[in-house]
Amino acid sequence: MKNLIIASTSTIYGSGFLEYLLPELREHFKSIKSLLFIPYARPGGISHEAYTEAVAKSMQSLSIAVHGIHEFDDPEKAIEKAEAIFVGGGNTFVLLKALQQKKLIDPLRIVLDKGTPYLGTSAGSNIVAPNVKTTNDMPIVHPTSLDALNLIPFNINAHYLDPIKNSTHKGETRPTRIKEFHVYNSETVLGLREGSWISVKGEKMLLKGPFSAVVFRRNMNPFEIETDSDLGILLT
Amino acid sequence: MKNLIIASTSTIYGSGFLEYLLPELREHFKSIKSLLFIPYARPGGISHEAYTEAVAKSMQSLSIAVHGIHEFDDPEKAIEKAEAIFVGGGNTFVLLKALQQKKLIDPLRIVLDKGTPYLGTSAGSNIVAPNVKTTNDMPIVHPTSLDALNLIPFNINAHYLDPIKNSTHKGETRPTRIKEFHVYNSETVLGLREGSWISVKGEKMLLKGPFSAVVFRRNMNPFEIETDSDLGILLT
């Protein structure tokens, strides 16, 4: 039974790393003593060691020990044996390419499908979807494919931003980019605002956090979905 | 002798399509009667016909006839025979993938290297660089590679935006993204603000337009370069 938290961001403005999620994580990780952290997305090019250290610090208040996957000789076995797994944010292309090169896509999908508790933030949330073609990140490396774990039936747009009214900038807005995505792809996209997350328990998917989210479906106008809504509606 | 205009954007705020560039284009295209337009980037998913129509309208005041490359049975020959070429903006991944599928990368590089006058805007500017890994676009399709025409010795970041002061958003700023690019890549990146362009005549490269640009070099702090500067400095 899938048991996932899929968060737009690790950090909200004016708050520490993962701080806003701690009440939810206390419940999500309640029987967990150790967490496997996958630091491959490397925000700002940070080292695996430094990134893992930041996660370990944030998990202290939950009394959870954190180990980075880079500490293990056999990362596939580390995934199979993990009590719980967290994939942090950074660059989605860098993350996906590392998982592909180390042949960890299938092992990760298998354990998450079986119920290993998972936390994804930002890039770590994008990879739970059918593909990462709705990332906001810069394609600084080139993965062999943009297909991802496909554990939920829709794509994520993390750090979702509403268009800025009266902007003079001519670069595309987020809704314009997602509309272009739907010229070539059929997956529904959920625009997840910073501070919101999706809770997946088996086939039950709920939108959580303080904000509504925006649903983009092919050939339809985008619409808002309220927090605490059942996201099963996105399946049909 | 290369003869390129590489513009951040086709359109600036409060002005019509290509309007701000018309004085420059009058000179750039002064002996040109017909222009080959490559509409493959499809901004907003627009059809090749509609996009070409918009370009034709904008070129009326220069008395230049515009033909879309999709009108030709043999697009490679159309490139070889073109008096001048314009590649418009839209989605850089969509543009690059179309050029790859139609095997037009090499033909385009060859004629531009020989001196066919060229205009690129946004995505059409990104492709002139060594690679498109500093695009802002969403990876809605997956090209086989992100290598591009390599006609200039640095990458472009089109529609360059300065970080918004006191922003509460936790998504990456443009400088953060380009800094991450330099963890994995060595190419210098020019952050080109909307309204600015690069004029390339042979090996002479000048920054033009109302704004300074931002130079990002690996392992260096970014710095501003004034308009009318010789971009040869970026070569060394």
Side-chain angles (χ1 to χ4, degrees):
Chain A
M1 189 185 109
K2 283 178 273 195
N3 188 12
L4 320 170
I5 289 180
I6 303 167
S8 175
T9 183
S10 63
T11 314
I12 58 171
Y13 180 73
S15 165
F17 182 68
L18 290 179
E19 195 178 332
Y20 80 101
L21 269 175
L22 284 177
E24 180 79 5
L25 294 180
R26 195 176 295 277
E27 180 63 25
H28 188 56
F29 290 151
K30 70 180 166 197
S31 57
I32 302 300
K33 297 282 166 221
S34 79
L35 176 69
L36 179 70
F37 177 57
I38 300 183
Y40 296 152
R42 300 187 61 194
I46 190 175
S47 73
H48 294 346
E49 291 74 15
Y51 199 6
T52 302
E53 185 54 41
V55 175
K57 207 170 156 189
S58 74
M59 289 294 109
Q60 272 173 356
S61 68
L62 303 187
S63 303
I64 294 175
V66 174
H67 297 283
I69 194 167
H70 59 286
E71 299 166 26
F72 294 85
D73 291 333
D74 185 340
E76 183 173 340
K77 195 175 282 180
I79 284 173
E80 285 164 5
K81 293 196 162 188
E83 268 191 274
I85 298 174
F86 170 29
V87 178
N91 185 288
T92 302
F93 298 91
V94 172
L95 169 62
L96 190 63
K97 186 169 180 170
L99 291 172
Q100 286 169 352
Q101 285 179 328
K102 295 167 199 291
K103 303 193 193 316
L104 297 176
I105 299 280
D106 286 339
L108 200 49
R109 180 189 295 117
I110 288 166
V111 301
L112 299 190
D113 201 48
K114 280 187 187 161
T116 302
Y118 179 81
L119 168 64
T121 58
S122 193
S125 292
N126 289 336
I127 62 164
V128 176
N131 62 66
V132 302
K133 291 180 176 174
T134 47
T135 176
N136 312 307
D137 294 335
M138 207 173 244
I140 59 179
V141 300
H142 192 59
T144 53
S145 135
L146 298 181
D147 292 340
L149 297 174
N150 197 27
L151 289 162
I152 56 173
F154 50 86
N155 265 22
I156 299 289
N157 182 252
H159 302 280
Y160 182 77
L161 268 184
D162 294 288
I164 298 165
K165 275 181 189 142
N166 307 316
S167 170
T168 61
H169 186 66
K170 302 300 278 188
E172 292 87 353
T173 64
R174 209 62 72 79
T176 300
R177 292 172 193 273
I178 297 170
K179 193 178 169 193
E180 284 183 0
F181 168 82
H182 278 142
V183 175
Y184 305 95
N185 302 276
S186 60
E187 288 85 3
T188 293
V189 182
L190 190 70
L192 203 55
R193 295 182 172 96
E194 292 183 346
S196 290
W197 67 93
I198 302 164
S199 160
V200 180
K201 305 265 183 199
E203 297 310 309
K204 183 90 173 171
M205 300 178 292
L206 293 177
L207 177 66
K208 305 292 284 182
F211 304 114
S212 62
V214 190
V215 179
F216 297 88
R217 306 197 72 163
R218 197 178 202 177
N219 299 325
M220 277 180 64
N221 288 325
F223 60 93
E224 298 277 337
I225 188 163
E226 294 306 313
T227 190
D228 295 320
S229 292
D230 186 336
L231 296 174
I233 191 177
L234 297 174
L235 276 167
T236 57
Chain B
M1 191 185 106
K2 282 178 273 196
N3 189 12
L4 321 170
I5 289 179
I6 302 167
S8 176
T9 183
S10 63
T11 313
I12 59 171
Y13 181 72
S15 165
F17 182 68
L18 291 178
E19 194 178 331
Y20 80 101
L21 269 176
L22 284 178
E24 180 79 5
L25 294 180
R26 196 176 295 278
E27 180 63 24
H28 188 59
F29 289 150
K30 71 180 166 198
S31 57
I32 302 300
K33 296 283 165 223
S34 80
L35 177 68
L36 179 69
F37 177 58
I38 299 183
Y40 296 152
R42 301 186 61 193
I46 190 176
S47 73
H48 294 344
E49 291 74 15
Y51 199 5
T52 303
E53 183 56 40
V55 175
K57 207 169 156 188
S58 74
M59 289 293 109
Q60 273 174 356
S61 67
L62 304 185
S63 302
I64 294 175
V66 174
H67 297 283
I69 195 167
H70 60 286
E71 300 166 25
F72 295 84
D73 291 333
D74 185 340
E76 183 174 340
K77 194 174 280 177
I79 284 174
E80 286 164 3
K81 294 199 162 186
E83 268 192 274
I85 297 173
F86 170 29
V87 178
N91 185 288
T92 302
F93 298 91
V94 171
L95 169 61
L96 189 65
K97 185 166 182 173
L99 291 173
Q100 287 170 352
Q101 285 178 327
K102 295 167 198 289
K103 302 189 194 316
L104 297 177
I105 298 279
D106 287 337
L108 199 50
R109 180 189 294 116
I110 289 166
V111 301
L112 299 190
D113 201 49
K114 282 188 184 160
T116 302
Y118 179 80
L119 168 64
T121 59
S122 193
S125 293
N126 289 337
I127 61 163
V128 176
N131 61 67
V132 303
K133 290 179 177 175
T134 47
T135 176
N136 313 307
D137 294 335
M138 207 173 244
I140 58 179
V141 301
H142 192 58
T144 52
S145 136
L146 298 181
D147 293 339
L149 297 174
N150 197 27
L151 290 162
I152 57 173
F154 50 86
N155 266 22
I156 300 290
N157 182 251
H159 303 280
Y160 181 76
L161 267 185
D162 295 288
I164 297 164
K165 276 182 189 139
N166 307 317
S167 170
T168 61
H169 186 65
K170 303 299 280 188
E172 293 87 352
T173 64
R174 209 63 71 80
T176 300
R177 292 171 193 272
I178 297 170
K179 193 178 169 195
E180 285 184 359
F181 169 80
H182 278 143
V183 175
Y184 305 94
N185 302 274
S186 59
E187 290 84 4
T188 293
V189 182
L190 190 70
L192 203 54
R193 295 183 172 95
E194 293 183 346
S196 290
W197 67 94
I198 302 164
S199 161
V200 180
K201 305 267 184 196
E203 296 311 308
K204 184 87 172 171
M205 298 178 293
L206 294 176
L207 177 65
K208 306 291 285 181
F211 304 113
S212 62
V214 189
V215 179
F216 297 87
R217 304 195 73 163
R218 196 177 202 178
N219 299 326
M220 279 179 63
N221 287 326
F223 60 91
E224 297 278 335
I225 189 164
E226 293 306 312
T227 189
D228 295 322
S229 292
D230 187 335
L231 295 175
I233 191 177
L234 297 175
L235 277 168
T236 58

